[in-house]
Amino acid sequence: MPEWLVLTLAMLAACAVVVIITLVRHRTASDDEDPSETPDVIEYMTMWIGVVYAIVLGLAIAGVWEGRSAAQDHVQAEATALHEISERVRVYPTDARDRIRDDIEAYVGHVVTTEWDTMADEGRVTERGQRLFERVRQDVTDYEPKTDFQAQAYQPLLDQVTAANQARIARAESTGETMPGVVWFGLIAGAVVTIGMIFALQIRRTTREMVLAGLFSALIAFLLFLIWDFDSPYSRGVTASADPFLNLFPGTGD
């Protein structure tokens, strides 16, 4: 099911629940009930519940957005390190240089096609991707410099291999969901309590109150969907992209 359809259904469902409960409560309310007699303490509690829940939602959105941004940074760091290796091996002999560059392109091609789909569908990196990376590492580390110029380039190349490996490990660790289940329980329970406090204020069936209650519940549904969408950096709507690899190694994704 498309994510935009999930969002639309969630927002409509939230609105529908509020409207239905309001209509049922209105029909079952006693004739002598006066909504103008809502105690001041209930209005005070409702205000603070809304404030606290808004803070929690803001922190949750900031957390998942930071995780998504970090995931994109891992991709950028890995692609940059591999590109530096590909460029710096120009001081090596032709056979060694071409072998390293070919293995890097094979690795990048696997990442942007097969491995990227695996991360999105299964939340993990592939064993073949690890083997291809190890081949690049071996190409760089096993080469014995023949000249002083090559010797000067050798250690920086090892540093770039280390940087690429660290970025790959970080990318692998950020493929899954970042929000613990207990946090989701708190967010959903908070939404129920926050929307439920609307009925503590004895909302009635006027058009204005119904519209505002529906929009309020739809807004909360949208924010929860936004958190869920950002929660898995590589597999949902607003995801980290493979553009750094494609930009630095054009043609590998074909």
Side-chain angles (χ1 to χ4, degrees):
M1 182 181 296
E3 292 185 2
W4 64 266
L5 182 58
V6 174
L7 171 61
T8 302
L9 293 177
M11 295 177 68
L12 290 176
C15 292
V17 168
V18 172
V19 171
I20 291 172
I21 294 177
T22 303
L23 293 176
V24 170
R25 185 179 181 280
H26 176 73
R27 291 180 179 276
T28 57
S30 59
D31 295 335
D32 58 349
E33 183 178 333
D34 185 2
S36 64
E37 295 181 354
T38 301
D40 293 339
V41 67
I42 293 183
E43 296 182 359
Y44 181 79
M45 291 171 57
T46 302
M47 178 190 69
W48 277 107
I49 288 174
V51 169
V52 171
Y53 188 63
I55 294 174
V56 172
L57 279 177
L59 292 175
I61 292 174
V64 293
W65 176 256
E66 182 179 357
R68 187 265 179 197
S69 299
Q72 187 65 60
D73 291 341
H74 300 328
V75 177
Q76 181 68 52
E78 185 180 0
T80 301
L82 291 171
H83 184 259
E84 283 296 311
I85 296 172
S86 182
E87 291 298 319
R88 294 187 182 193
V89 295
R90 67 179 184 273
V91 302
Y92 283 9
T94 302
D95 58 340
R97 179 179 67 241
D98 291 345
R99 183 176 64 254
I100 293 174
R101 287 178 174 175
D102 289 345
D103 287 343
I104 289 176
E105 290 185 1
Y107 170 73
V108 172
H110 176 77
V111 168
V112 300
T113 54
T114 305
E115 187 164 82
W116 207 265
D117 291 338
T118 302
M119 289 193 303
D121 298 336
E122 304 178 20
R124 63 176 181 86
V125 296
T126 63
E127 294 182 2
R128 175 167 173 75
Q130 185 60 39
R131 291 195 299 270
L132 291 173
F133 183 84
E134 289 299 329
R135 185 185 302 173
V136 174
R137 188 207 299 271
Q138 292 171 6
D139 291 341
V140 176
T141 57
D142 293 351
Y143 179 76
E144 184 176 350
K146 303 298 191 299
T147 66
D148 291 341
F149 191 30
Q150 294 175 8
Q152 292 174 4
Y154 182 73
Q155 186 58 49
L157 283 170
L158 293 183
D159 294 340
Q160 293 300 323
V161 170
T162 301
N165 184 52
Q166 291 174 342
R168 174 178 173 79
I169 293 173
R171 174 165 61 85
E173 292 176 347
S174 62
T175 54
E177 297 181 353
T178 58
M179 295 286 286
V182 65
V183 176
W184 274 114
F185 174 80
L187 290 173
I188 295 174
V192 172
V193 172
T194 302
I195 296 176
M197 290 303 293
I198 294 176
F199 306 105
L201 295 178
Q202 300 184 8
I203 184 173
R204 302 306 291 264
R205 200 175 54 177
T206 65
T207 302
R208 180 180 61 183
E209 290 177 331
M210 296 289 286
V211 169
L212 290 176
L215 291 177
F216 179 69
S217 58
L219 175 61
I220 291 181
F222 169 75
L223 293 176
L224 290 176
F225 176 86
L226 195 65
I227 295 171
W228 174 82
D229 199 42
F230 287 160
D231 191 28
S232 187
Y234 297 104
S235 62
R236 291 178 186 153
V238 185
T239 61
S241 71
D243 288 347
F245 286 111
L246 298 174
N247 293 335
L248 294 175
F249 299 94
T252 54
D254 297 340

